[in-house]
Amino acid sequence: MKKYIAEFIGTLVLVLFGCGTAVLVGCDTTGGIVATSLAFGLSIVAMAYSIGNVSGCHVNPAVSLGMLLTKKMNLKDFLGYICAQILGAFVGALLLALFTGSFENLGGNVAQPVLVNAYGEVGSLFVALAVEIVLTFVFVLAILGVTSKTENGRVAGLMIGLTLTLIHLLGINLTGTSVNPARSIGPAIAQAFVGNLEALKEIWIFIVGPLAGAALAALVFSLVLKAKEEKAQEA
């Protein structure tokens, strides 16, 4: 239960500070993009060094899936983590609505106009899906790599936070950047409560994309590890 509470708190903080910065600062300028990217990255850094020793600070169903597929967590914890993460994201969105006095925009992801303008509405959805897959692949692969060595323990949180910042710098103008189903589901459900269903219309992109990217990262990481182990045995 302590692990689930930690994941709840971590995801709440991620949504409140990450999405909150995006809502209050905006992402229509270079400064807004940088500020939002840093807010998400620094939220992960802060949580990694506060709850990381309790739950590992996944705060993301895609990260938990990567850990499950690489046998670093069991199915029971995986399901518990997902429930805690989605609930934390939802409560974080409610707090953001309380602070801003509005449910209109809580950082729920919607495929951005730049994709629609480039590919048309239908084509943009599949490009957005590809973007989420690739970005999540890079993110989860970095997490699996940096956490695979105990000597990286002191800098793991910083490296993961910087990676998330990097991903947002590219992804914000493409999909709004999710790479985290909980971070998208929580605000989307909160907005749906007041009749705003816009974020829910394309929510599948921000569920399927991150989970597919995480599964691909787990596969690639496992194959690399297996190759190293076989090489070591042969030597």
Side-chain angles (χ1 to χ4, degrees):
M1 185 56 66
K2 289 182 179 179
K3 292 185 289 187
Y4 305 152
I5 294 174
E7 286 297 303
F8 169 85
I9 294 172
T11 316
L12 184 158
V13 169
L14 179 71
V15 169
L16 180 59
F17 284 84
C19 295
T21 301
V23 170
L24 294 174
V25 177
C27 293
D28 53 352
T29 65
T30 300
I33 292 173
V34 173
T36 300
S37 300
L38 286 171
F40 276 104
L42 291 175
S43 295
I44 289 295
V45 173
M47 289 300 96
Y49 291 108
S50 55
I51 67 169
N53 62 327
V54 178
S55 69
C57 189
H58 296 185
V59 299
N60 184 339
V63 174
S64 296
L65 179 62
M67 294 297 180
L68 176 69
L69 294 178
T70 53
K71 301 180 180 180
K72 295 184 178 181
M73 73 182 306
N74 58 51
L75 181 59
K76 178 184 177 181
D77 278 345
F78 171 70
L79 296 175
Y81 271 42
I82 289 180
C83 292
Q85 290 158 359
I86 292 176
L87 182 59
F90 175 68
V91 175
L94 292 183
L95 285 175
L96 180 56
L98 174 65
F99 293 170
T100 61
S102 174
F103 278 87
E104 287 302 313
N105 181 13
L106 299 178
N109 297 88
V110 179
Q112 297 297 303
V114 64
L115 292 179
V116 175
N117 293 338
Y119 298 97
E121 185 172 357
V122 176
S124 71
L125 296 181
F126 290 101
V127 175
L129 179 63
V131 169
E132 287 293 316
I133 290 174
V134 171
L135 294 182
T136 310
F137 168 79
V138 173
F139 184 48
V140 174
L141 189 63
I143 292 173
L144 293 174
V146 76
T147 58
S148 65
K149 298 180 180 179
T150 55
E151 58 265 32
N152 292 336
R154 292 184 178 181
V155 299
L158 180 60
M159 294 300 99
I160 293 170
L162 288 174
T163 301
L164 187 60
T165 299
L166 174 66
I167 285 169
H168 275 78
L169 288 172
L170 173 64
I172 285 177
N173 273 337
L174 296 176
T175 64
T177 310
S178 173
V179 302
N180 184 339
R183 164 257 186 278
S184 295
I185 292 172
I189 293 176
Q191 290 178 91
F193 277 178
V194 293
N196 182 1
L197 303 178
E198 191 65 26
L200 284 176
K201 292 180 181 179
E202 298 168 358
I203 195 69
W204 65 273
I205 293 174
F206 307 107
I207 297 174
V208 176
L211 294 180
L216 182 60
L219 176 62
V220 170
F221 185 74
S222 296
L223 290 175
V224 170
L225 283 181
K226 184 177 180 180
K228 286 184 177 180
E229 291 171 354
E230 290 177 347
K231 186 174 181 180
Q233 290 175 356
E234 290 175 358

